[in-house]
Amino acid sequence: MRLFSNVTTGLTILAIVFTSTLSSTSFAAIPDLEANKDERALSNPSYILGQYWFRKLNGSRALIDFPPAYDYLKDALSQILPQTNLYNTTVEMTLLNSSQSNAFVIPGNHLFIYSDIMEMITSEDMLFGLLAHEVAHLDLRHYERQNKHSGEELQKTLVMLGAGIAAALAGAGSDATTALWLGGIANQAENTLTYSRNQEQEADRRGREYLLNAGLAPDGMTKLFQAFFKQALGRPKLEFLSTHPSPNSRLSDSFSTDTKETILSNKAATDFEFFRASLLAYRAGIEDKPLSYLDQKIQNNDAKNFAKGLFSYLIQSPDRALNFLSKLEKHNQFTDYLQALSYAASDQADKGLNIIDMRLELEPKNILFSMLHAQLTQSKPITTTSKYLYEKRLIWRANIQYYQSKNNIPMALNYRAQLDFSQGKDKTARYLIKRAENDAQNSDRNTIKNTAEKFEIINEAEKQEDLEEDKLK
């Protein structure tokens, strides 16, 4: 049974309406993305632009929301970023479920990876090759440099991306788990800002330098392009290649550096296998025979059983998930997190808490498990902050649970508003924070007021760039 089908009905009409409206009303003045180099400041048009669409895309039903996968990806990026000018910059990450193979970046240092691309990326060094290439685009400021020569391209991108988002968030289709509009209209948006071949080759070469300097296998990029070209032979259109022009010289470039012994030469890629399995577990929901799909795509038995367990959890079968997890020979953060979730969902919270407690004994400040502990016990979460949205989501959810248990509805609404705002649901967030302000006790008023002011500052910055929600309809 195909569980998560493509959402296509009505998208074309919505796109036409959205595009015709935007073309005459929005983006009259294209922002100067070179105006401010501070990437994560609201005085920087590049960051405002990227953050706006980042919030919208994180509100899509295509979002992959499994925190251990983001933890792994953050650690992988941390090996590459020190080799770049982005060392002190947060690169935000979003994993999206799609039947298209792609990865791309948008202004403001935001990275997106589609689940389908993990069919072809079968080793950690290939993933590092992909990350190095995409990070190079950010480090070399290719969006900004290209925009200086073709301002109209940015306008096209915003219109098309906005159309796809508007269609998805308007409720096209009735899928409960995911809306795969990303393979259609939204992907056309990426095509409007594809890099030139020179920029692609520049990103390839710079990315290989990062890998070498980090002591990572540079031939990962070679294997990456080999896999893409091989897969392209069997597909009418491979999106990664369509958005990343690849002449013959590009593949030959990837052979220009001799393979060297690196720190990955004798390292087992266990964490990578579970990261890959996480994305493919979501991807399996698009298939008619999801478990057969996982059998075909994943070779490692532990990773395969984990993926089947995650898929079972996603379709609300926690007992079946626990059955698959019982077959594991070894456990790690991925399996422990899923097992704790599955125990909680099957009314065995005490067993889930035992797993969480063992994890916290090893890592007391682990946000993933400390926030899950707070949710299951309805206790006050430890005070912590994060630069990454996936961790903020955990913190907000734990606080919602805690304040609901204390019947402090205004504070619960405060954190619910922050969660909704992070998903591009600005109107809902403003409504919730207004309710919270009206009903808050004196001791909570300042906290709630600060949240409301944050929303106002961000929305005002977006208004200055013609990114108001009301105009983008």
Side-chain angles (χ1 to χ4, degrees):
M1 177 177 64
R2 181 165 299 187
L3 297 168
F4 314 146
S5 61
N6 244 332
V7 175
T8 55
T9 306
L11 292 188
T12 304
I13 295 175
L14 279 166
I16 293 172
V17 173
F18 189 90
T19 303
S20 61
T21 302
L22 267 167
S23 60
S24 60
T25 62
S26 296
F27 313 118
I30 302 300
D32 178 7
L33 301 184
E34 286 276 291
N36 190 315
K37 298 290 186 180
D38 185 357
E39 275 297 327
R40 298 189 69 81
L42 288 177
S43 58
N44 180 9
S46 176
Y47 175 67
I48 296 170
L49 170 68
Q51 188 68 8
Y52 180 87
W53 295 116
F54 176 75
R55 291 197 296 115
K56 294 294 185 181
L57 284 163
N58 273 274
S60 162
R61 286 172 290 173
L63 178 70
I64 292 175
D65 191 7
F66 189 64
Y70 288 88
D71 247 20
Y72 168 83
L73 187 58
K74 178 179 69 175
D75 290 343
L77 283 169
S78 71
Q79 298 188 57
I80 297 173
L81 291 176
Q83 321 308 323
T84 74
N85 293 319
L86 305 172
Y87 181 65
N88 292 318
T89 300
T90 300
V91 174
E92 277 279 25
M93 310 156 288
T94 299
L95 302 171
L96 297 161
N97 196 20
S98 176
S99 58
Q100 301 291 335
S101 289
N102 213 346
F104 62 98
V105 290
I106 62 175
N109 292 339
H110 300 87
L111 168 69
F112 297 84
I113 297 177
Y114 290 6
S115 58
D116 190 78
I117 206 170
M118 298 312 296
E119 286 189 6
M120 287 171 281
I121 297 178
T122 56
S123 65
E124 190 170 43
D125 56 350
M126 293 172 69
L127 178 64
F128 278 124
L130 175 71
L131 296 179
H133 172 86
E134 296 300 336
V135 166
H137 279 308
L138 294 175
D139 194 21
L140 294 165
R141 304 182 66 83
H142 278 162
Y143 272 126
E144 290 85 344
R145 285 164 52 189
Q146 184 165 332
N147 182 56
K148 290 182 70 174
H149 299 289
S150 181
E152 292 182 357
E153 288 303 301
L154 178 60
Q155 184 174 2
K156 294 177 187 177
T157 297
L158 297 175
V159 170
M160 291 302 298
L161 187 57
I165 291 168
L169 299 183
S174 59
D175 300 306
T177 306
T178 184
L180 299 180
W181 53 274
L182 290 161
I185 292 176
N187 199 73
Q188 295 177 36
E190 298 154 32
N191 292 343
T192 65
L193 261 183
T194 55
Y195 301 122
S196 70
R197 291 184 175 182
N198 287 338
Q199 287 178 324
E200 285 300 322
Q201 288 182 322
E202 186 180 21
D204 293 343
R205 292 166 180 168
R206 182 64 65 88
R208 290 177 68 81
E209 291 178 11
Y210 300 155
L211 296 174
L212 285 166
N213 293 338
L216 301 169
D219 59 332
M221 196 171 287
T222 300
K223 291 189 285 186
L224 177 69
F225 291 131
Q226 285 177 319
F228 284 138
F229 278 101
K230 180 180 179 180
Q231 190 72 16
L233 297 176
R235 294 191 180 190
K237 185 180 182 182
L238 187 63
E239 298 301 338
F240 184 84
L241 294 184
S242 70
T243 57
H244 293 67
S246 303
N248 291 335
S249 59
R250 185 180 183 192
L251 185 57
S252 63
D253 264 0
S254 67
F255 286 106
S256 60
T257 303
D258 294 334
T259 302
K260 299 181 180 181
E261 290 294 318
T262 71
I263 60 176
L264 285 182
S265 298
N266 300 308
K267 179 183 176 182
T270 302
D271 287 343
F272 164 77
E273 291 291 343
F274 284 90
F275 170 76
R276 180 173 182 266
S278 299
L279 272 61
L280 292 181
Y282 278 81
R283 175 66 179 79
I286 305 169
E287 299 295 317
D288 292 326
K289 298 179 179 180
L291 297 184
S292 296
Y293 170 85
L294 294 174
D295 281 330
Q296 179 185 3
K297 298 298 180 182
I298 302 175
Q299 302 304 313
N300 180 276
N301 284 332
D302 273 356
K304 185 184 301 183
N305 283 315
F306 162 75
K308 291 180 178 180
L310 178 54
F311 173 77
S312 299
Y313 176 80
L314 292 173
I315 61 171
Q316 300 180 351
S317 297
D319 291 331
R320 194 176 185 188
L322 290 168
N323 181 53
F324 283 117
L325 292 172
S326 69
K327 301 176 183 179
L328 298 175
E329 294 185 3
K330 296 181 179 179
H331 288 261
N332 57 23
Q333 177 167 278
F334 286 85
T335 63
D336 286 349
Y337 195 83
L338 176 59
Q339 195 166 27
L341 288 175
S342 299
Y343 274 130
S346 62
D347 296 323
Q348 301 179 72
D350 55 335
K351 292 183 178 180
L353 286 170
N354 286 338
I355 294 172
I356 295 169
D357 288 339
M358 285 189 290
R359 272 282 162 183
L360 291 176
E361 285 181 12
L362 299 174
E363 297 180 83
K365 295 184 179 180
N366 185 300
I367 292 180
L368 275 62
F369 286 95
S370 63
M371 292 304 136
L372 188 54
H373 182 277
Q375 280 191 271
L376 295 185
T377 59
Q378 295 186 337
S379 58
K380 187 172 179 58
I382 61 172
T383 301
T384 186
T385 58
S386 174
K387 297 179 181 178
Y388 295 94
L389 179 56
Y390 82 94
E391 292 180 336
K392 290 178 181 178
R393 281 197 294 260
L394 298 175
I395 296 169
W396 293 329
R397 287 167 180 161
N399 276 289
I400 292 169
Q401 194 80 8
Y402 170 71
Y403 284 108
Q404 283 180 338
S405 72
K406 297 299 182 182
N407 202 31
N408 187 337
I409 303 305
M411 283 298 288
L413 290 175
N414 170 68
Y415 288 105
R416 180 71 221 190
Q418 292 184 61
L419 182 59
D420 284 351
F421 192 81
S422 75
Q423 297 174 333
K425 303 171 185 176
D426 293 12
K427 282 188 174 180
T428 302
R430 290 195 296 266
Y431 170 73
L432 292 177
I433 206 65
K434 189 67 176 178
R435 280 184 54 193
E437 284 183 298
N438 292 337
D439 300 334
Q441 300 174 3
N442 289 334
S443 59
D444 297 327
R445 286 189 182 279
N446 283 339
T447 299
I448 296 172
K449 180 181 178 181
N450 289 338
T451 299
E453 289 176 349
K454 175 184 174 183
F455 293 169
E456 185 176 347
I457 290 170
I458 293 173
N459 285 152
E460 181 60 29
E462 292 171 348
K463 179 180 178 181
Q464 296 300 316
E465 303 301 331
D466 282 334
L467 290 170
E468 291 178 278
E469 185 177 31
D470 291 340
K471 287 188 176 182
L472 302 182
K473 290 188 175 182

